[in-house]
Every structure is written in C-alpha cells, then in structure tokens.
Amino acid sequence: MANHKTTSGAVAAAPELLIRIDRAAAPGLRAQVERELREAIRTGRLPAGAELPSTRALASDLGISRGIVVEAFEQLLAEGYLSARRGSGTMVAPGRIAADRGKEAVPKSAAEPARTSVRYDFRPSVPDTSTFPRRAWHKSLRRVLATAPPAALDYPDPRGTRALREALSSYLNRVRGTAAVPERMVMCNGFTQGFRLVCSVLKQRGARAVATEDPSHEEQRAAIRAAGLRVVAVPVDDKGVVVERLERTAASAILVTPAHQFPTGAVLAPQRRAALLAWATRRQGFVIEDDYDAEYRYDRDPIGSLQGVAPERVVYIGSASKTLAPALRLGWLVAPVELLKDLARIKEMEDRGSPGIEQLAFADFLECGELDRHLRRMRRIYRRRRDLLAKALRTHLPRHRVFGIAAGLNLMLELPAGADEEVIAAAAAAHSVHVGGVQRYCVRPNTSPALILGYGMLRESAIAEGIRRLAAVLDSR
Amino acid sequence: MANHKTTSGAVAAAPELLIRIDRAAAPGLRAQVERELREAIRTGRLPAGAELPSTRALASDLGISRGIVVEAFEQLLAEGYLSARRGSGTMVAPGRIAADRGKEAVPKSAAEPARTSVRYDFRPSVPDTSTFPRRAWHKSLRRVLATAPPAALDYPDPRGTRALREALSSYLNRVRGTAAVPERMVMCNGFTQGFRLVCSVLKQRGARAVATEDPSHEEQRAAIRAAGLRVVAVPVDDKGVVVERLERTAASAILVTPAHQFPTGAVLAPQRRAALLAWATRRQGFVIEDDYDAEYRYDRDPIGSLQGVAPERVVYIGSASKTLAPALRLGWLVAPVELLKDLARIKEMEDRGSPGIEQLAFADFLECGELDRHLRRMRRIYRRRRDLLAKALRTHLPRHRVFGIAAGLNLMLELPAGADEEVIAAAAAAHSVHVGGVQRYCVRPNTSPALILGYGMLRESAIAEGIRRLAAVLDSR
C-alpha cells in the first residue's frame, strides 16, 4: 500500500491528510482516527474518489502505531466510506455524495459566468492564441529550469530579473526604436498593472488629472479614477490625438497610442508627435505611450516609439499580450529616471515582483530570436486575414469607408450618419456575428457611428461569410 | 545569409530592426539605410555583437530592393561598423563602443543594489530554493503546453483558472482542513497581493482599522496604511494573539498567523481560537488567516485552519512561496461569500488575473501528488536542520530559552534582559553570521529582546559553526 498508482501510471507520493487526535482524550486513538476520517468524508473535505495516504504514512504523520490506522481503515471499509483496489491503495468510496459545506453557501451570482460561443467573432484586442509558439516557449522554460541558479527561485527583483531587462531593452531598441536600458525598466503584469503603477506614482507626486484619447478603453479611464485622479478626454481625429485640445486642459500626463490609435487606427502625425513632446517638456509632464500592437504593420513604414525621442518625458508601456499571449501577463515599463525609484517601490509593495521563471524564459526566448520569428509568421497570417477582410468589405459593403487598415489587429468601418450601433450589433449577434461599435469607447458621443472589426482571432474561412452576414444586416436597415 | 547561426548552434529567425526611410526624401534610399544603421550603432541601439537581419529580410521589411541593402551593408562593413563571418551572418563589429543614450542618465541611486554574500545566513522567511522540484515542475509545464486548449492562453479568469481552483481547494481541504470550493477562491500574486486585495475591499466596505499581531512584519502594516486604513497592533504572548486586547479596539478585521505566529512561533491556543471567531461573529468582522508555513510541523499535531471552522468570517490567505518557491508568485484567497464579488472585481482591475500557464501547471502538479511528495521530503530536510540547530543551541548557548521550535522555518532565541539586538546583529555580521532581532517586528518595544533564527536555507554543515560563532559573540558581551 505504500506506492499509490495514479491514473497516469506514475507512482504518486502518499497524499497528505489533516487529522486531529488527542492522545489524552477519552475515546481510544482508533476511534478518533475513524471519527475524523468519517467526518472528513461526510463534509466533503475528502471527496468521492479521493486517495488516502498509506497506513504507514498516516501512522508516521500522527505518531501512532500503524496497527491503529489499519484497524480504522478496515472499519471504514466495512461501513462503505472507503473502498480498496489491489495496487491502487485506499480511496473514498466513489458512490458517496458528500454534503459540501462551502458550495451550498455560494449564491448563483458569484458562480462561474457562462461563456457563449460565437461563430464570426470580430472582437478587437484579442490575438490568435492558437498560433502561440508552444514548442519554442517550452524549450525556453526547459532551458531555464535546467540552468537557472537557485537564487532565481527566490523573491525576484521587484523591477524584474536583470537578464530579462537586458534582453528586452535590446529588443525594444532594435525593433521599436526606444532608448531603453535595463536600469530604466520595470517588469509588470501586463499593460493593466503597468498603467496603474504609473498613475499611482503620478498621484503621489501631486498630479491631479491624467488625459486619455477619446475614444479609448473605458478600463483605462477607470484606472485613472481608481488612482484618485481626474480623467480628461482629448479628442482624436484622423491624425491621432488633437494636441492643441490637450494644451487647454489641467492634465499633466496623457495616455496615447501613437503607433495605431485604439480604436480608430489613426497614426499620430509627425507634427502632432512633435507638438505632444513639446507640450510634455513645457508642462514638465509625461506622455504615457501605450505601444499597442505596434509590431503589426502591413503596408506602411514602421513608426518608432516616442520614448526613443524623449526618454525623460515618455513612459513607455508594452506587453506580450498581443505579440504572444495574454495569459503570460508579461508587461513592461521603460521610464524616465525621475519616476524609476517610485515605480520600483510601488511594484514591490504591490506584489513583490512578477513571476521569475517566466521572466527568464522570456529572456531566453528573445535571445534565441524566437519573438522575431514568431512575429514574422504572425504578420503574414494577420496580413492575409486583413486582406481577406478588406476584400470582403469592398465586395459586400462597398459604400462604407474603412479606417486604420495599414496596421494592427482591427479596423474601423464607418456607418451611415444616424445609424444605431447597438441595434446593429444586436441584429448581427442574432446571425452569430460578434461585432461592436465605436461609441462604447467614447466619452463625448460626437464621433460618427462606426463598427470596430477585429481580425486577430478570425479564421480565414469565416471572414467572407461573417462580412456577408453583416452586410445583410446593414442592408436590411 | 538567410540563416543566422546563433552561438548555441540553433538556426535563429532573422532579427527585426526598426529603420525609417522616406521614399520621397532627397538622399537616395541606400544612403538613408546606411545613415539609419550607422546612427543605430553609434547610439547603442544596436550594441556591439548584435546580429543584423539578412539583407533579404530587411529589404522585404522595408519594401525596397535587396541590392540597396546589400550595398548599404557593404559600405558599413568597409567603414568598420559591421563585421561578417561566413555562416554567421552580419553583426555589429565587436570592437565598437557605443555611447549609450539611456544608461548615462541613470543615477547611481537607481542602479542595481549590491547583494552581499553571507556564510551563515539565519534570515527567516526564506525557504531553500535549491531543493525546488525542477523536474516535476517542468513535467507539469510540458503537459500543460502540450494539452491546454488555445483559450487557456487568452486573458485568464481574473479569479484564477477553474482547474487550479478545483485542485487547490481539494488540496487545502485535505491538508489544511479548510472549507474551500472553487467558487470561493481568488488566485493572486503571492501573499502580498492577496492581503492588499483584502484590505482594499474592507476599505471600500467602510472599514476604518485593521489589526495585526505585535510583533509581525512591518510590510503588512504598510499595506494596511496604503489602503487608507488605520493599523491597530494587538500584542502576542505564548498562546498567540491576545484576543481580549483586540476586543477593546476599533478594528473590524485582524491579520493573524494562527498555525505558527511570526516571528515568535507561538501556536494560537484553542480557547483563543474560539474567542477570536466569537469576536468576528459578534463584530461582524473578519479574521484574515495568514496560513504561514503551516505545512511545516515536526513534533506537534497538525493544526487545522480557522477558515474551516468559520468560512463566512475568515479570509484564508496561502501561497506557494514557502512550500515551493517565492519566484512562482502563486498565492490564493479562500473568502467569505460576501467579499467574493468585490475581490474578483479588484483583482481584475489590478492586473486582469494571474499568469495562466503557471496556474495550470500548478493544478497538474497538485493533481499528480507532487506537492505532497515535495513537502514530505522538505519536512525531513528542515526537521534535520532544526534538530541540528536545537542541538547546537543546547551545546553553545545552554542558558538561552528557545521558542517556536515545533514547526515552521524559524525559531526565537531569548536574549538576556537589556541586551541590544542591533549591536549583537552587527557583531555577528562581522563574523559572517546574518541574524536579526525581534524588535524590528514590534510596534510597542515591550517585547523582551530575542533573536529570530531562520533555518530554511541553512546548509547542515553550516549550522553548528554558525551557532558557535554567534555564541562567541554573545559570550563576549
């Protein structure tokens, strides 16, 4: 009974089990062990099918003789609480239905939300997770686990492991034109934590208001408010954010998506880039650069980061969510020197640093050129999807203008003036097409109606049919 | 030149490189490519030894003919900026020293802190990272990467992946006597984030003050303050936290370490446990249970969690930092129903959930019984270290009383009344012995002087010599 065979055939360790006995108490030890086990099975602490430790291990744990445990097991086997199979140890009898103390108390509202499946999913901001380079990522993880020193498993440097900050700063300088060095970097859990850290530091330094582009993600405005700051919404036109409108506000920082504005797809025009940095210098403020899907461009020249031009006035935020997978939760900041210490201190206070093994794996992955390789592949895939989408739109919706098509993982489809995005989205959903409007990203409702069409996770075969269905919905209105 | 050999011999993908060209500008394209590359090398964006993309890949990226890139490379080879080796592509000439734009601006204070090495390291709260079960962890990661569906790589459920909440609740119910169900769990980044999430939710619900044990970690008091709450310090004696002192305060919640008080090692006495839960029920408040190193017990009976007794009044916080490795940053909450929704919402807002692949790996690791196996092994190892430490203390410091020896990864060594812990620690450090006093954990300085001796990461061979040196320091005073 010492070796428990698991279903996978491997020899499992004897499982642990919490049992309380009182050597001085009235009922004998055997009765106590029986009672504790019975109680654990009745309350669901030991569910049906759960393996029990071997009698030898349990006796050793409790500091009692093995015979007592053997007798207790035999009694419970006889009572039907336990069942035994040759070669697979003792387990809680599979038929038993236990009263689960905790589960019953959990109301429906707190239970798992249902995920509906959609056949033509045009949601933006979601990359294709089916193409994740699992083999290469596994190789990097394996190499790290085989070679990293024990210290790499201790509490990580709250700013991120040195090896990753080195590899990543080289990568960003090469591919995104940043002026990054390891000392300027702070690793964080995706864009979300990074932006929140920046807001907290700005608030502590006396900032009152942070601007965002209008339209942009509502979650970002919520993060600004949660830091105790006021949100200022600055309009976006086809040249990106309107900097002269920013200049009239009280904001001392602004979050922008210069490479590919979300959701309009506009590229920040050269004059606007210069005006934005001039504003930050004059104001002694900060531009927070969300380098959102900048790695995906198709038929336009690459656009370097703002950070590379003004490293002391720009906080650069990047993540692997769009380039690799959101589940990695790998994000990073490249920060001006005057914010570095505070950012590192807040990151340490928040969670004592991001997971260490994955950081080292990402460093290895970058150094082997695997991200370059993956991005080349994905750019081909996404470009093909974009081409098919553009073609389908020309075929089925030829009178609708399309914006932001040169880069990114989404585009914007103009709707006729007065069109109701919500009604259209609901009608599309009834035909298994998941699509959303631009208004949900707007603070001021003065943007003309449009749909945001993401093609990150759309199968090629689904694109034309999805647009045909969408066109039928639009034509019927 | 299409295939670049890396030093490891693998064929690397063509690296990406940001180069801006203006097809309409005065200088020819070749001159522009040359200028951009030269500038990237001069400024350090392309460091010495960095590999360049193949001429074919770069030309394709820029949408220009390959001949232009070949000519530009040849010019820069001639100028000594680049060097070429047969079979290994083109790279930035190794001898070049670039002016690094970013690094020079980083002041010394923001640079990496020096880590000093200590020969006899008795710091508490640090487990032995050299025994991390790398092979088993790797197997779990490999299995996850081979079998998880693509959706597992998308944004995770902010509460944690379902599979892990299932595996972990079973484990905790079995080993720690909790009343956990997946619906009650929220995964977080170590204890630190979990405790902060709880403080934020309590604050939002109108709490004004949260109590901690005195002594305890200062970082925990800082987290309470950072949430906008007042800290109330409740004294600890040899039966754990003094509950009747808590009853006289304004606190509506208290953070406790019932299984093994940190740093005194006291176990919360049965009457105190009952009184604490009665207080929480009467007050409609919450006990926040830090199940600190509860898995390590040597010669005392196991102590079940408070959460299992009163699941609606106890927030249970656990982590893998002491049982596996701090670098994993795996932590979890088992929460009362009335706090669940708010905890999940704040976790989503903070970082959109913890990394997904590691959560699935941990689920697999638990299900294979690997944590049970690892803990059995570590308990033997730590017990041997503890026995050697106790023996060394009896031999070299026989008149000093020792507390908290039955469990955990540290014990408390009483010092004579009036002894100055800081002076002793400094004198010990001069003999390569790293040890700290209890006063640093105290709010009120009325605890008698003592040293906290951690044995988590101490080699067996170092224990006796470390204590011999410490005794020499103490005897000489």
Side-chain angles (χ1 to χ4, degrees):
Chain A
M1 244 184 91
N3 283 342
H4 291 210
K5 297 270 180 200
T6 61
T7 46
S8 68
V11 177
E16 303 260 303
L17 183 64
L18 177 77
I19 286 189
R20 276 158 287 205
I21 55 168
D22 177 357
R23 289 182 189 73
L29 289 175
R30 180 192 132 177
Q32 286 187 52
V33 172
E34 267 177 48
R35 189 192 56 207
E36 283 277 311
L37 283 172
R38 212 182 277 114
E39 180 70 10
I41 294 167
R42 275 196 186 127
T43 57
R45 205 147 70 68
L46 274 174
E51 251 186 294
L52 265 71
S54 70
T55 50
R56 187 197 313 273
L58 188 54
S60 150
D61 264 15
L62 297 171
I64 58 181
S65 86
R66 190 175 167 199
I68 293 173
V69 179
V70 170
E71 284 178 28
F73 274 31
E74 280 168 359
Q75 178 63 33
L76 293 169
L77 282 161
E79 292 178 14
Y81 281 93
L82 301 180
S83 70
R85 261 198 317 233
R86 192 167 298 276
S88 70
T90 306
M91 58 171 66
V92 177
R96 291 211 69 83
I97 295 160
D100 195 329
R101 279 185 290 174
K103 205 162 200 164
E104 286 163 6
V106 179
K108 281 278 187 298
S109 66
E112 315 290 321
R115 292 217 174 182
T116 52
S117 79
V118 182
R119 287 176 64 192
Y120 307 98
D121 193 345
F122 290 95
R123 271 177 302 172
S125 307
V126 192
D128 191 338
T129 51
S130 73
T131 56
F132 180 75
R134 293 177 183 228
R135 193 180 296 241
W137 189 253
H138 170 244
K139 271 190 190 163
S140 289
L141 280 167
R142 188 180 60 197
R143 216 155 15 223
V144 167
L145 282 168
T147 61
L153 297 164
D154 206 340
Y155 285 99
D157 184 324
R159 295 168 303 173
T161 57
R162 174 88 200 178
L164 176 54
R165 286 180 290 131
E166 280 171 3
L168 194 51
S169 53
S170 295
Y171 170 81
L172 293 171
N173 293 347
R174 173 165 59 78
V175 172
R176 299 296 308 125
T178 52
V181 284
E183 292 78 5
R184 279 180 182 277
M185 302 203 68
V186 179
M187 295 300 301
C188 47
N189 305 334
F191 171 88
T192 303
Q193 187 186 42
F195 181 54
R196 238 174 12 75
L197 295 176
V198 173
C199 286
S200 299
V201 167
L202 294 178
K203 168 74 180 172
Q204 283 180 7
R205 293 164 56 91
R208 302 241 178 120
V210 169
T212 63
E213 298 170 327
D214 180 14
S216 62
H217 283 289
E218 169 55 26
E219 291 79 8
Q220 296 169 351
R221 292 186 284 272
I224 293 170
R225 279 183 224 111
L229 294 158
R230 201 157 57 78
V231 174
V232 172
V234 180
V236 166
D237 63 19
D238 60 351
K239 294 187 171 62
V241 70
V242 183
V243 180
E244 62 187 30
R245 295 287 291 274
L246 168 66
E247 288 165 349
R248 287 183 250 151
T249 74
S252 58
I254 182 169
L255 173 64
V256 291
T257 47
H260 187 237
Q261 205 276 331
F262 185 85
T264 67
V267 175
L268 191 63
Q271 320 87 285
R272 293 269 177 91
R273 286 169 70 94
L276 190 60
L277 296 177
W279 165 84
T281 305
R282 211 163 51 238
R283 183 79 173 78
Q284 286 297 290
F286 296 99
V287 174
I288 305 162
E289 179 175 27
D290 177 3
D291 204 27
Y292 171 74
D293 68 18
E295 278 93 342
Y296 296 122
R297 59 193 160 69
Y298 311 109
D299 25 40
R300 71 165 205 222
D301 289 337
I303 294 157
S305 75
L306 286 172
Q307 193 274 346
V309 184
E312 298 306 343
R313 297 265 61 91
V314 178
V315 188
Y316 178 97
I317 312 185
S319 88
S321 298
K322 304 293 180 290
T323 52
L324 279 168
L328 295 177
R329 310 309 303 124
L330 280 165
W332 47 86
L333 303 172
V334 189
V337 169
E338 69 176 291
L339 303 183
L340 274 178
K341 240 170 127 174
D342 288 341
L343 285 170
R345 191 180 43 74
I346 292 195
K347 171 67 180 167
E348 176 159 29
M349 177 136 190
E350 285 231 333
D351 59 12
R352 297 191 73 168
S354 292
I357 296 173
E358 293 70 42
Q359 288 188 63
L360 291 175
F362 190 34
D364 180 87
F365 189 86
L366 285 166
E367 276 163 4
C368 294
E370 290 294 350
L371 186 59
D372 291 311
R373 187 198 302 264
H374 178 63
L375 282 174
R376 269 182 203 281
R377 177 176 169 228
M378 292 314 296
R379 222 178 275 132
R380 275 198 307 273
I381 291 174
Y382 288 140
R383 184 195 191 116
R384 212 152 50 217
R385 290 182 192 171
R386 189 220 43 174
D387 290 347
L388 286 170
L389 177 57
K391 190 179 155 208
L393 290 169
R394 278 195 307 274
T395 306
H396 298 294
L397 292 162
R399 282 166 308 178
H400 291 256
R401 288 202 298 168
V402 171
F403 299 91
I405 201 164
L409 300 179
N410 58 271
L411 52 77
M412 188 166 76
L413 178 75
E414 203 175 53
L415 292 176
D420 187 325
E421 295 173 358
E422 291 306 309
V423 171
I424 291 167
H431 292 85
S432 296
V433 176
H434 194 322
V435 72
V438 74
Q439 300 297 334
R440 67 177 66 179
Y441 302 106
C442 295
V443 178
R444 294 181 199 81
N446 58 358
T447 311
S448 27
L451 295 178
I452 307 302
L453 301 181
Y455 45 90
M457 54 183 220
L458 217 60
R459 295 275 152 276
E460 289 184 15
S461 56
I463 292 173
E465 174 61 14
I467 295 303
R468 201 193 57 74
R469 291 180 179 220
L470 180 63
V473 166
L474 289 173
D475 288 345
S476 70
R477 308 216 76 76
Chain B
M1 244 185 90
N3 281 342
H4 292 210
K5 299 269 180 200
T6 61
T7 47
S8 66
V11 176
E16 303 261 304
L17 184 63
L18 177 77
I19 286 190
R20 276 157 287 205
I21 55 168
D22 178 357
R23 289 181 188 74
L29 289 174
R30 180 192 132 176
Q32 286 187 50
V33 173
E34 267 178 49
R35 191 193 55 206
E36 283 277 312
L37 282 173
R38 213 182 275 114
E39 179 70 10
I41 296 167
R42 276 196 185 127
T43 56
R45 203 146 72 68
L46 275 175
E51 250 185 295
L52 265 69
S54 70
T55 50
R56 188 197 313 272
L58 188 53
S60 151
D61 263 15
L62 297 172
I64 58 181
S65 85
R66 189 175 169 199
I68 294 174
V69 179
V70 170
E71 284 178 25
F73 274 32
E74 280 168 359
Q75 179 62 31
L76 293 168
L77 282 161
E79 291 178 14
Y81 280 94
L82 300 178
S83 69
R85 260 196 317 229
R86 192 168 297 274
S88 70
T90 308
M91 58 171 67
V92 177
R96 292 211 67 82
I97 295 162
D100 194 329
R101 280 186 289 173
K103 205 162 199 161
E104 285 163 5
V106 180
K108 280 276 189 299
S109 66
E112 314 290 319
R115 292 219 174 180
T116 53
S117 78
V118 184
R119 287 176 63 191
Y120 306 99
D121 192 345
F122 289 95
R123 272 178 301 173
S125 307
V126 193
D128 190 337
T129 51
S130 73
T131 55
F132 180 74
R134 294 178 182 227
R135 190 180 297 241
W137 189 253
H138 170 244
K139 271 189 190 164
S140 290
L141 281 168
R142 187 179 61 195
R143 221 161 2 229
V144 167
L145 282 169
T147 61
L153 296 163
D154 205 339
Y155 286 99
D157 185 322
R159 295 169 302 173
T161 58
R162 174 86 199 181
L164 177 54
R165 286 181 290 131
E166 280 172 3
L168 194 51
S169 53
S170 294
Y171 170 81
L172 293 171
N173 293 347
R174 174 165 58 81
V175 172
R176 298 297 307 125
T178 52
V181 283
E183 292 78 6
R184 279 181 182 278
M185 302 204 68
V186 178
M187 296 300 302
C188 47
N189 303 334
F191 171 87
T192 303
Q193 186 187 42
F195 181 53
R196 238 175 11 76
L197 294 177
V198 174
C199 286
S200 298
V201 168
L202 293 178
K203 168 74 181 171
Q204 283 180 8
R205 294 165 55 92
R208 303 238 176 123
V210 170
T212 63
E213 298 170 328
D214 180 15
S216 62
H217 282 289
E218 169 55 26
E219 291 80 6
Q220 297 169 351
R221 291 187 285 273
I224 294 170
R225 280 183 224 110
L229 294 158
R230 202 157 56 78
V231 175
V232 172
V234 179
V236 165
D237 63 20
D238 59 352
K239 295 187 173 61
V241 69
V242 183
V243 180
E244 62 188 30
R245 295 287 292 274
L246 168 66
E247 288 164 350
R248 286 182 251 152
T249 75
S252 58
I254 181 168
L255 173 64
V256 291
T257 47
H260 187 236
Q261 205 277 330
F262 185 86
T264 67
V267 175
L268 191 63
Q271 319 87 286
R272 293 270 176 90
R273 286 169 69 96
L276 190 60
L277 296 178
W279 165 84
T281 305
R282 211 162 51 237
R283 183 80 173 78
Q284 285 298 289
F286 296 100
V287 174
I288 306 163
E289 179 173 27
D290 177 3
D291 204 30
Y292 172 78
D293 69 16
E295 278 93 343
Y296 296 121
R297 58 194 160 69
Y298 312 109
D299 25 40
R300 73 167 202 220
D301 289 336
I303 294 158
S305 75
L306 287 173
Q307 194 274 345
V309 184
E312 297 307 340
R313 298 265 60 92
V314 178
V315 189
Y316 177 97
I317 312 184
S319 89
S321 297
K322 304 293 178 291
T323 51
L324 280 168
L328 296 178
R329 310 309 303 124
L330 279 165
W332 48 85
L333 303 173
V334 188
V337 170
E338 69 176 291
L339 303 182
L340 273 178
K341 240 169 125 173
D342 288 341
L343 286 169
R345 193 180 42 73
I346 292 194
K347 171 66 181 169
E348 176 159 31
M349 177 136 193
E350 285 228 334
D351 58 14
R352 296 191 71 169
S354 291
I357 297 173
E358 294 71 42
Q359 288 189 62
L360 291 176
F362 190 35
D364 180 88
F365 189 86
L366 285 166
E367 274 163 4
C368 294
E370 290 294 348
L371 186 57
D372 290 312
R373 188 198 302 264
H374 178 64
L375 282 173
R376 269 182 204 280
R377 175 175 171 228
M378 292 315 297
R379 219 177 278 134
R380 275 199 307 275
I381 292 174
Y382 289 140
R383 184 194 191 119
R384 211 152 54 215
R385 291 183 191 170
R386 190 220 42 176
D387 290 346
L388 285 170
L389 177 57
K391 190 178 157 207
L393 289 170
R394 278 195 308 273
T395 307
H396 298 292
L397 291 163
R399 280 166 312 177
H400 292 254
R401 286 202 300 168
V402 171
F403 299 91
I405 200 164
L409 301 178
N410 59 270
L411 52 77
M412 187 167 76
L413 179 74
E414 202 174 53
L415 293 176
D420 187 326
E421 295 173 359
E422 291 307 308
V423 171
I424 291 166
H431 292 84
S432 295
V433 176
H434 193 323
V435 72
V438 73
Q439 302 296 333
R440 67 177 65 180
Y441 302 106
C442 294
V443 177
R444 295 181 197 81
N446 58 358
T447 310
S448 28
L451 295 178
I452 307 301
L453 301 180
Y455 45 90
M457 54 182 219
L458 218 61
R459 295 275 151 273
E460 288 184 15
S461 57
I463 292 173
E465 174 60 15
I467 294 302
R468 201 193 56 72
R469 289 178 180 221
L470 180 64
V473 166
L474 289 173
D475 289 344
S476 71
R477 309 216 74 76

